[in-house]
Amino acid sequence: MRRLGLPQWAGTLAVKSAVFITVMCCALAAMLGVLVHVSVTNQTVGQARRLALSRLADATKAYEAGDTLLPGTGVDPPGLPEALRAMAVAGGRGTMVSDLHGHPTMWAAGPADRERALAVQVDYAQQSRTIAGLDRAILWSSGLAIGVTLLVGAFSVTRVTRRLHATAQVARRISAGDLDARVDDPRTKDPTHPQDEVAAVAAALDTMAASLQGKLLSEQRFTADVAHELRTPLTGLHAAAELLPPGRPTELVRDRVAALRTLTEDLLEISRLDTGRERLELDAEELGALAARVVRASGTDTSVVVREDARAETDRRRLERVLGNLVANAHKHGRAPVSLTVDGPVVTVRDHGDGYPDYLVEHGPQRFRTEGGAKGHGLGLTIAVGQAEVLGARLEFANALDGGAVATLTLP
């Protein structure tokens, strides 16, 4: 059974806080309103009852003395509530409010002679208007208090949520690779000023970003330094390998030296990409012709399919590097047939092997990581992703439903 979800706006802290403040204000206003209403009503009704009973006592004395009864006093007068009359006939005294000819009236009744009741009526309209006015005042004041409290609470919560949104935005920029992003909350600058929880989170995020940036820069410098230091001995080693006599051992040495030189050049290229200072040399290129040149340069059996040719303003050398690495990876780690398809600004390289590892599809290529017994250092796809970012293109990796790895490059 599918559960109904709340709309996206209902999950925000500001909305939740506003609802909480409104509910609490309504509950508090209702409780205070009921207490005030009950207290004032009891006081008003009590005064009216005492007045009615006092007049009933005077009327009883006049009736027993045979004096003329005052207006508003009589024996079994019309309009006397039946319940109050029955109580008076039974020998009791009491009061009751009822409506007499459209006017609120307080009745007081007591026993008279021959199963009759002596009753006094007191105008209760003023007291009724007082209680009604009080109720209206309670409603208006409660509404005003709730509105003011909600505005003040919303303003305060909005200030907090605005800071939280700014902190979240900086966190997203850091996760996207912008390690220079900082929250720089002014509340974290003054150590003598107490920090709230939002400022503490902002300070922790800035500290984490600075630490992460420092570690990454150290790793980048280490990679660049190692690659530069290896170039000199590798050059000498390559020259020495060329002087060895022909033979199988010589071929093995030359092959390993070439692999080591390729690895060193890849490390140097990655270190340059890590610095983020690469510059484009833009030129208009026909993607179909460029794809054909990449396949010819690779020397592999790769089919080129041009569904819709396109002319792109791009850096030819970097684009050839990306496509060349994708084609080489498809032949090295996949199986034939391998195809390179141009469909407008979208270029796809596909093989029919076992597909990309799960980690690569989810998180992208990682240098010096391979799975499934594959050979290599994981640098080819890492370089392809870095060069694609320099081009402003998007490189995505996926596995086809019918088997095989699919790399999709979308040019801007």
Side-chain angles (χ1 to χ4, degrees):
M1 182 177 179
R2 184 178 179 182
R3 298 178 58 186
L4 295 178
L6 293 174
Q8 185 176 5
W9 58 265
T12 62
L13 179 61
V15 173
K16 291 181 178 178
S17 301
V19 172
F20 176 76
I21 293 173
T22 303
V23 172
M24 293 303 297
C25 286
C26 290
L28 182 60
M31 182 180 66
L32 292 178
V34 170
L35 291 176
V36 173
H37 173 82
V38 171
S39 177
V40 174
T41 300
N42 289 339
Q43 182 179 359
T44 303
V45 173
Q47 292 175 353
R49 289 187 65 201
R50 285 191 294 272
L51 176 60
L53 290 174
S54 175
R55 291 185 180 182
L56 178 62
D58 294 340
T60 301
K61 292 178 181 179
Y63 181 76
E64 291 175 350
D67 295 336
T68 303
L69 298 178
L70 296 174
T73 305
V75 177
D76 288 340
L80 178 64
E82 188 61 32
L84 183 59
R85 182 183 181 281
M87 183 183 66
V89 170
R93 288 173 177 266
T95 60
M96 181 180 288
V97 177
S98 68
D99 193 68
L100 180 62
H101 306 304
H103 295 281
T105 302
M106 171 70 75
W107 291 93
D113 55 355
R114 294 191 300 274
E115 299 295 328
R116 295 188 300 173
L118 177 64
V120 175
Q121 63 183 50
V122 177
D123 186 21
Y124 193 69
Q126 180 62 39
Q127 290 84 347
S128 179
R129 287 193 295 270
T130 300
I131 295 175
L134 174 66
D135 291 342
R136 288 193 297 270
I138 290 175
L139 290 176
W140 279 104
S141 59
S142 298
L144 181 61
I146 291 173
V148 172
T149 305
L150 185 60
L151 289 176
V152 174
F155 174 74
S156 301
V157 172
T158 301
R159 293 185 62 188
V160 175
T161 55
R162 188 183 299 116
R163 294 167 59 195
L164 288 175
H165 282 305
T167 303
Q169 185 177 5
V170 171
R172 285 190 290 267
R173 289 172 56 191
I174 293 174
S175 64
D178 184 7
L179 298 182
D180 293 323
R182 297 291 185 275
V183 180
D184 285 333
D185 194 321
R187 294 168 181 80
T188 63
K189 304 299 182 182
D190 186 4
T192 62
H193 192 276
Q195 295 184 4
D196 58 8
E197 288 77 3
V198 180
V201 171
L205 180 63
D206 287 346
T207 302
M208 180 201 70
S211 175
L212 180 63
Q213 185 179 35
K215 291 181 179 179
L216 288 178
L217 289 177
S218 297
E219 292 180 1
Q220 292 172 5
R221 284 195 297 268
F222 175 76
T223 302
D225 291 344
V226 168
H228 280 290
E229 292 298 326
L230 285 175
R231 293 187 76 177
T232 301
L234 275 176
T235 301
L237 188 60
H238 177 73
E242 294 296 327
L243 299 177
L244 292 176
R248 181 60 180 167
T250 300
E251 292 179 359
L252 293 176
V253 171
R254 290 176 179 175
D255 179 70
R256 292 301 86 198
V257 170
L260 193 56
R261 289 188 66 181
T262 300
L263 174 61
T264 303
E265 295 299 328
D266 288 345
L267 288 175
L268 284 173
E269 186 170 357
I270 288 177
S271 66
R272 289 193 298 268
L273 292 172
D274 286 339
T275 60
R277 299 176 182 176
E278 295 289 272
R279 295 293 180 265
L280 293 175
E281 297 179 2
L282 297 178
D283 196 5
E285 295 290 339
E286 298 288 342
L287 295 183
L290 187 142
R293 289 200 304 271
V294 169
V295 170
R296 285 197 302 271
S298 68
T300 60
D301 185 14
T302 303
S303 62
V304 178
V305 179
V306 180
R307 295 177 180 172
E308 180 184 349
D309 204 354
R311 189 175 183 85
E313 194 78 14
T314 185
D315 189 319
R316 178 181 58 82
R317 181 184 64 84
R318 298 183 189 278
L319 182 55
E320 288 179 350
R321 176 67 160 156
V322 173
L323 297 181
N325 282 14
L326 294 178
V327 171
N329 184 82
H331 282 279
K332 186 174 183 180
H333 302 290
R335 286 193 297 271
V338 176
S339 62
L340 193 156
T341 304
V342 177
D343 189 1
V346 179
V347 183
T348 304
V349 177
R350 179 185 175 177
D351 62 57
H352 289 76
D354 297 329
Y356 292 120
D358 292 337
Y359 82 90
L360 193 149
V361 175
E362 294 179 5
H363 307 290
Q366 301 176 19
R367 61 191 70 174
F368 297 108
R369 177 176 178 179
T370 56
E371 291 186 359
K375 297 180 180 180
H377 306 284
L379 299 181
L381 294 182
T382 303
I383 293 174
V385 171
Q387 294 289 10
E389 290 179 356
V390 175
L391 292 172
R394 184 175 71 254
L395 181 57
E396 297 173 321
F397 302 94
N399 291 322
L401 296 178
D402 55 347
V406 181
T408 304
L409 178 70
T410 305
L411 294 170

